[in-house]
Amino acid sequence: MTPDRVAAILDFLALADRLKLVERRGRIPLPDGTTRRENSAEHCWHLALVALLMAEEVAAPIDLARVLTMAVVHDLVEIEAGDSYAYDPAAQATAAERERAAADIVFAGLPADLALRLRAAWEEFEAGETAEARFAMACDRAQGFLQNVLSQGLAWREHGVAAPTTHPRMHPAMAVDPAFAALIGALYARAETGGMFAGAAG
Amino acid sequence: MTPDRVAAILDFLALADRLKLVERRGRIPLPDGTTRRENSAEHCWHLALVALLMAEEVAAPIDLARVLTMAVVHDLVEIEAGDSYAYDPAAQATAAERERAAADIVFAGLPADLALRLRAAWEEFEAGETAEARFAMACDRAQGFLQNVLSQGLAWREHGVAAPTTHPRMHPAMAVDPAFAALIGALYARAETGGMFAGAAG
């Protein structure tokens, strides 16, 4: 590697460090009974673990390296664009455009071949057309839902999210494969039993 | 998937959430000029990103799926064993034994085939014998070193870590491939120029 290439990689890794400061709405339970917000780096790691566990549960074989690559890079644009809450229609309406502009900034410092490779993984995830992108999407949504279940639905109730509000986001994930239908179905059961959604009697 | 299998996977993902609470010594710079400790989940994600960027820089081809799997699972034992600081000889002396006992606990709840698969990845990383394990080790150590450079060596100086103290840990990583020698060599240059090590004039 040339010194310039090394420097560009190190500078990108330094920029990427900021993903650890991008807070999501989902919360992590703490030992003292309180919670704190999850950040996007933690989310990406947890999503990758979901992918590892689900990789052999689905009917169609998937390319695990591509799925894990998407897990690692799919939220890097949030360094510039911030997290867009899944159940905030105003944020979602502009997310695609903001994230595309952010990608131009975030990947700009990398050597061209690396920028192309990482950006291609992000674009594959965003397009959601390949089996791997759909698998990664299902893992992404399952992880976000799980995080809400782990924190007793605190963010759902904070933001007035009732169960039906989550359906347009979760049903496509459940449709990816019966294994995801089972996994997410079980999460819904835990959420309903625990009265975790907004408006629940729980 | 059977309901029992789904429940076991969800319970494991809930357990894994605790890796986000395992604090390392390395620190993350914050916008207000202070720092906070990095946690092991963030570290695993950042390590995976190092792996993505370095995958095509090394001479021998590596199996990226295996490397990324090791990146995701290699620190799960810390949920039970805690993080063992690289430059704490007392912690290091007992780390292998404590982490083996922890692995028995952490992986116990998974269905047998999944426990075997994740544990095999952890053991491959620990043994450090395959090309993929050596590559992952180099990424792991480069990430830890980078985190210290990003936080101006705060943890190094807190713990009295001078440059030579880091050599037994970093030289094997640099020996994995000239690309890692270049990457880590550039990090050493930044650390030395910035006077980041304990005892430095900077």
Side-chain angles (χ1 to χ4, degrees):
Chain A
M1 287 201 289
T2 65
D4 281 358
R5 188 169 176 88
V6 170
I9 289 175
L10 289 179
D11 291 345
F12 181 77
L13 287 168
L15 175 68
D17 192 55
R18 287 168 45 192
L19 195 63
K20 302 167 190 169
L21 308 182
V22 175
E23 291 193 333
R24 294 165 54 87
R25 301 299 170 97
R27 304 189 75 89
I28 297 173
L30 302 178
D32 67 0
T34 65
T35 62
R36 69 160 171 86
R37 283 183 161 187
E38 188 188 39
N39 68 56
S40 291
E42 295 167 326
H43 157 72
C44 290
W45 166 77
H46 211 177
L47 187 177
L49 188 61
V50 176
L52 283 181
L53 293 170
M54 295 297 285
E56 295 185 9
E57 308 301 322
V58 294
I62 49 140
D63 178 336
L64 186 60
R66 261 168 63 208
V67 168
L68 293 176
T69 298
M70 283 188 262
V72 173
V73 308
H74 80 291
D75 274 346
L76 282 170
V77 294
E78 295 183 358
I79 290 168
E80 286 293 328
D83 180 55
S84 301
Y85 185 45
Y87 304 115
D88 176 348
Q92 286 298 319
T94 61
E97 189 183 344
R98 285 183 293 108
E99 292 182 355
R100 188 154 297 277
D104 292 340
I105 298 169
V106 169
F107 298 120
L110 276 175
D113 60 316
L114 288 173
L116 201 66
R117 184 146 56 83
L118 265 58
R119 183 156 184 153
W122 173 70
E123 289 188 345
E124 180 179 353
F125 179 83
E126 286 294 305
E129 287 166 5
T130 63
E132 283 75 15
R134 286 169 48 77
F135 181 94
M137 173 273 284
C139 294
D140 184 36
R141 294 184 186 181
Q143 193 282 335
F145 199 100
L146 168 73
Q147 204 66 46
N148 277 296
V149 170
L150 292 180
S151 50
Q152 307 302 315
L154 194 57
W156 283 331
R157 293 198 307 284
E158 260 178 10
H159 298 282
V161 177
T165 310
T166 66
H167 292 170
R169 183 164 177 83
M170 301 311 296
H171 285 178
M174 297 174 82
V176 166
D177 187 278
F180 282 108
L183 189 81
I184 294 167
L187 284 170
Y188 266 110
R190 292 187 184 195
E192 307 268 7
T193 305
M196 297 180 189
F197 288 112
Chain B
M1 288 200 289
T2 65
D4 282 358
R5 188 169 175 88
V6 170
I9 289 174
L10 289 178
D11 291 344
F12 181 77
L13 288 168
L15 175 67
D17 192 54
R18 288 167 45 194
L19 195 63
K20 302 167 190 168
L21 308 182
V22 175
E23 291 192 333
R24 295 166 53 87
R25 302 299 170 97
R27 305 190 74 89
I28 297 173
L30 301 178
D32 67 1
T34 65
T35 63
R36 69 159 171 86
R37 282 183 162 188
E38 188 188 39
N39 69 55
S40 291
E42 296 168 326
H43 157 72
C44 290
W45 166 76
H46 212 177
L47 188 177
L49 188 61
V50 176
L52 283 180
L53 293 169
M54 294 297 285
E56 295 186 11
E57 307 302 322
V58 293
I62 48 140
D63 178 335
L64 186 59
R66 262 169 62 209
V67 167
L68 294 177
T69 298
M70 284 188 262
V72 172
V73 308
H74 81 290
D75 274 345
L76 283 170
V77 293
E78 294 182 0
I79 290 168
E80 286 293 329
D83 180 55
S84 300
Y85 185 45
Y87 304 115
D88 175 349
Q92 285 299 318
T94 62
E97 190 183 344
R98 285 184 293 109
E99 292 183 353
R100 189 154 296 276
D104 292 340
I105 298 169
V106 169
F107 297 120
L110 276 174
D113 60 313
L114 287 173
L116 202 66
R117 184 146 56 83
L118 265 58
R119 184 157 184 153
W122 173 69
E123 289 188 346
E124 180 179 351
F125 179 82
E126 286 295 306
E129 286 165 5
T130 63
E132 283 76 14
R134 287 169 48 78
F135 181 94
M137 173 273 285
C139 293
D140 185 35
R141 296 185 184 181
Q143 194 282 334
F145 198 100
L146 169 73
Q147 204 66 46
N148 276 296
V149 170
L150 293 179
S151 49
Q152 307 300 316
L154 193 56
W156 283 329
R157 292 197 308 282
E158 260 178 11
H159 298 282
V161 176
T165 310
T166 66
H167 292 168
R169 184 165 176 82
M170 301 311 296
H171 286 175
M174 297 174 82
V176 165
D177 187 279
F180 282 108
L183 190 80
I184 295 168
L187 284 170
Y188 266 110
R190 291 186 185 194
E192 307 268 7
T193 305
M196 297 181 190
F197 287 112

